[in-house]
Amino acid sequence: MHLNHDPAAPIAETIGFDQFLAVDIRVGTITEAAPYPEARKPSIKLVIDFGPVIGRKRSSAQITAHYTPESLVGRQVAAVVNFPPRQIGKFVSEVLTLGFPDETGEVVLLAPAQKVPDGGRLF
């Protein structure tokens, strides 16, 4: 699957509301962050706490342009929690951390404007 990050790209194909509901996007707090120098592209390994029901999940994110591991701990982020785990080198990424491209294509994390309970689902 290739995602087009170009802001001038046309709108994706129309989907039904049920298809949107199938994607489970939740908010969580980053509890651990560490460099991942073994990755092909510069990345940071994250542990994100999604609350008592989902628990802690791991993610690898290509976010080194705007973030350091130290700046991420305690930050809330949004992630897709119902994709199958993905092997990224020696690391298994369990969730897809979400962001938007800046003007140069680097990732800016998606986060709520104010603190919300971990595990809350996007609607």
Side-chain angles (χ1 to χ4, degrees):
M1 170 175 69
H2 174 73
L3 298 176
N4 189 340
H5 301 297
D6 179 358
I11 292 176
E13 178 182 322
T14 300
I15 63 170
F17 190 66
D18 287 345
Q19 288 173 291
F20 169 73
L21 290 177
V23 180
D24 194 347
I25 300 172
R26 304 284 181 124
V27 65
T29 299
I30 298 172
T31 59
E32 299 174 37
Y36 188 24
E38 303 87 6
R40 267 186 286 140
K41 295 183 181 179
S43 301
I44 298 176
K45 296 186 285 187
L46 307 172
V47 175
I48 306 168
D49 186 354
F50 292 97
V53 174
I54 298 171
R56 292 178 179 218
K57 300 289 183 182
R58 300 181 325 153
S59 182
S60 174
Q62 296 173 9
I63 55 177
T64 58
H66 294 296
Y67 307 96
T68 63
E70 300 78 25
S71 71
L72 291 166
V73 174
R75 178 185 295 262
Q76 284 194 303
V77 293
V80 176
V81 298
N82 66 331
F83 284 156
R86 185 172 176 194
Q87 188 79 38
I88 300 174
K90 295 180 180 181
F91 185 80
V92 176
S93 189
E94 300 172 296
V95 299
L96 175 65
T97 305
L98 300 174
F100 291 104
D102 68 8
E103 59 280 343
T104 65
E106 298 293 345
V107 177
V108 176
L109 292 170
L110 179 61
Q114 62 189 50
K115 182 128 173 80
V116 294
D118 288 334
R121 186 170 181 178
L122 179 74
F123 59 86

